[in-house]
Amino acid sequence: DALPILEKYVVTNDDYSVFEGGHINWGWTDYRDNHLGPEFKQFLEFKYSYQDIKAHVMGEMAYATLKYDIAIKMKEREIDGEGLATVVLTKKDGAWRILHMHTSRIPKRDH
């Protein structure tokens, strides 16, 4: 199960937020229970990778911009694409945790 692994890297209280494709989740519990959890149950295969990470640290806060690739296989369909993200991090107990993430898919273009 991927959710306990992810919880090691995020702020797991109501301060956590995600903006994804025009949808908003407020708090880790909302995101976990109403977004990620239901999605993960549908996934047969899941690949997510990051590139072009540009991080900026300011004391106990940081943000990063990045590009990501995503590939998901489900029973009914497959998703393959790329996107852009901005991630806000905070340092808690000596470790960096994701406080906020905003993602945007890059539309596929016909060449």
Side-chain angles (χ1 to χ4, degrees), residues 4-111:
I5 295 168
L6 287 174
E7 286 186 347
K8 296 176 184 178
Y9 302 102
V10 301
V11 173
T12 57
N13 61 31
D14 287 342
D15 293 336
Y16 183 79
S17 58
V18 174
F19 298 169
E20 181 181 307
H23 184 80
I24 300 170
N25 287 101
W26 297 111
W28 172 250
T29 301
D30 176 38
Y31 187 59
R32 181 194 64 208
D33 296 350
N34 300 313
H35 190 121
L36 278 184
E39 280 186 348
F40 281 175
K41 289 178 184 172
Q42 297 177 36
F43 296 169
L44 301 175
E45 292 179 27
F46 177 76
K47 294 179 185 173
Y48 202 89
S49 62
Y50 303 105
Q51 307 87 43
D52 300 328
I53 299 170
K54 293 178 177 59
H56 307 274
V57 179
M58 296 151 290
E60 301 291 303
M61 296 286 294
Y63 73 91
T65 57
L66 56 99
K67 187 174 180 183
Y68 67 87
D69 290 310
I70 188 167
I72 302 168
K73 184 176 181 181
M74 297 177 273
K75 281 184 186 179
E76 301 83 25
R77 65 187 181 123
E78 293 187 23
I79 298 169
D80 185 21
E82 59 184 355
L84 303 171
T86 302
V87 182
V88 178
L89 303 107
T90 185
K91 203 170 209 180
K92 291 204 167 248
D93 301 321
W96 289 103
R97 303 278 187 260
I98 298 170
L99 179 64
H100 173 76
M101 184 175 236
H102 186 172
T103 61
S104 176
R105 294 278 307 269
I106 298 172
K108 290 200 182 251
R109 299 174 195 240
D110 294 328
H111 296 284

